[in-house]
């Protein structure tokens, strides 16, 4: 199984009259689909833009540039495992310390 992940705005709606279906559309969905189709079996692939939102909680090694239909080459990462609660706490504390130090300058 391959999994592609992305985040962002989507359009959603219910379609059909006899067989009603719920669906979502948009660039966010298309890129997630491309992450899946260019991915690797047994891995979750995501675009570089997702990393800042997930890095505190997951190990995200860089895969490198991948040619994506309609987008060209984009940098992608794999989500390989969830970090431990201790690692998450340290990451969040370090980020808070960096934020405080950057406002001192």
């Amino acid at each position: 199984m391959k999994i592609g992940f992305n985040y962002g705005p989507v359009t959603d709606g219910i379609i059909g009259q006899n067989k009603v279906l719920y669906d979502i559309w948009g660039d966010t969905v298309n890129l997630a689909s491309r992450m899946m189709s260019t991915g690797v079996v047994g891995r979750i692939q995501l675009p570089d833009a997702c990393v800042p939102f997930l890095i505190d909680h997951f190990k995200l090694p860089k895969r490198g540039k991948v040619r994506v239909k309609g987008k060209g080459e984009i940098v992608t990462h794999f989500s390989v495992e969830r970090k431990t609660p201790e690692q998450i706490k340290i990451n969040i504390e370090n980020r808070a310390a960096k934020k405080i130090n950057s406002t001192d300058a």
Side-chain angles (χ1 to χ4, degrees), residues 83-94:
K83 293 180 178 178
T84 66
E86 295 79 22
Q87 290 170 321
I88 293 169
K89 182 179 177 189
I90 290 168
N91 288 345
I92 293 170
E93 288 171 351
N94 286 343

Side-chain angles (χ1 to χ4, degrees), residues 18-97:
N18 297 328
K19 184 177 181 182
V20 179
L21 300 170
Y22 175 78
D23 202 0
I24 58 175
W25 307 271
D27 191 54
T28 301
V29 177
N30 294 339
L31 185 52
S33 176
R34 300 288 189 242
M35 290 293 96
M36 186 277 301
S37 65
T38 61
V40 175
V41 173
R43 297 282 184 108
I44 300 170
Q45 181 172 247
L46 52 125
D48 194 52
C50 292
V51 170
F53 301 100
L54 301 173
I55 194 67
D56 286 339
H57 298 275
F58 297 92
K59 295 181 181 177
L60 304 170
K62 186 181 285 187
R63 177 182 185 187
K65 290 183 180 179
V66 174
R67 178 159 297 291
V68 175
K69 182 180 174 184
K71 296 287 184 186
E73 286 191 342
I74 64 170
V75 176
T76 64
H77 296 257
F78 290 122
S79 176
V80 294
E81 72 180 278
R82 187 170 178 83
K83 293 180 178 178
T84 66
E86 295 79 22
Q87 290 170 321
I88 293 169
K89 182 179 177 189
I90 290 168
N91 288 345
I92 293 170
E93 288 171 351
N94 286 343
R95 185 176 323 166

